Amino acid sequence: MAKYNIKEPKVKNAAYRSMIKPEMADALKKEIYDVIVKRKKYLDHTYTAKQLASDIKTNTRYISAVVNVKFGMNYSNFVNKYRVEDAMKVLANKEFRNLTMDEVSMMVGFANRQSFYSAFYRVKRTTPRKYREHLLSTTGSAK
């Protein structure tokens, strides 16, 4: 696993996570989801938690707390989850079979191929290249 720079998550008990009121956490969860997923901000590799906090008029501690508690992961993993889902669609689409992994990586919002491979492996437990090869071998060609 060291090859893809994957570390087991550390369990932390940050005090500020319990300080946010449930009603506020629920409202922020919806806003975070709307901005990151519905507005597809995850495709922008420069979009940060700080920018998200500014956009929804809160602070990064609340962003972190809500993403951790309500989505069960940190901000980076949350954003990368949607990038990987998009990458899987791209890799399965025969229209994009000639794209390089760097091109796929950029298309779905990763800043570089290493981040793409690491996040993809964390989610799928395989590399994007092996994922594409598996699709090609099982279907004869991607969709």
Side-chain angles (χ1 to χ4, degrees):
M1 282 210 235
K3 183 176 181 179
Y4 297 108
N5 199 22
I6 296 174
K7 300 173 188 165
E8 291 301 317
K10 295 177 185 174
V11 178
K12 298 177 190 172
N13 192 10
Y16 64 88
R17 289 183 191 155
S18 60
M19 292 171 30
I20 188 168
K21 293 179 180 162
E23 303 81 30
M24 183 181 202
D26 290 339
L28 286 174
K29 176 186 177 186
K30 182 187 179 319
E31 289 185 70
I32 291 166
Y33 185 85
D34 286 349
V35 172
I36 298 297
V37 180
K38 289 185 178 176
R39 289 179 39 203
K40 296 191 176 218
K41 285 294 191 176
Y42 65 87
L43 294 174
D44 179 357
H45 75 272
T46 64
Y47 194 75
T48 64
K50 187 174 182 177
Q51 289 172 297
L52 173 62
S54 176
D55 288 350
I56 63 176
K57 296 173 182 35
T58 190
N59 63 56
T60 56
R61 283 191 172 225
Y62 281 176
I63 296 291
S64 178
V66 171
V67 172
N68 274 269
V69 172
K70 296 293 185 176
F71 296 104
M73 61 190 83
N74 66 33
Y75 178 80
S76 293
N77 288 343
F78 176 69
V79 170
N80 287 342
K81 173 183 176 237
Y82 293 99
R83 291 174 177 163
V84 169
E85 287 176 5
D86 272 9
M88 290 167 49
K89 292 173 190 169
V90 170
L91 294 169
N93 189 327
K94 70 178 179 182
E95 291 178 34
F96 300 118
R97 72 175 162 243
N98 292 327
L99 291 181
T100 66
M101 288 302 147
D102 283 334
E103 291 169 327
V104 173
S105 169
M106 289 186 300
M107 178 186 276
V108 299
F110 285 98
N112 58 63
R113 188 172 50 134
Q114 179 61 33
S115 297
F116 174 47
Y117 267 70
S118 179
F120 197 96
Y121 192 87
R122 184 178 289 115
V123 172
K124 294 300 294 174
R125 292 294 186 222
T126 190
T127 66
R129 188 171 310 285
K130 286 182 182 175
Y131 180 81
R132 178 189 266 171
E133 288 169 0
H134 175 74
L135 288 174
L136 291 172
S137 69
T138 58
T139 61
S141 67
K143 293 178 185 176

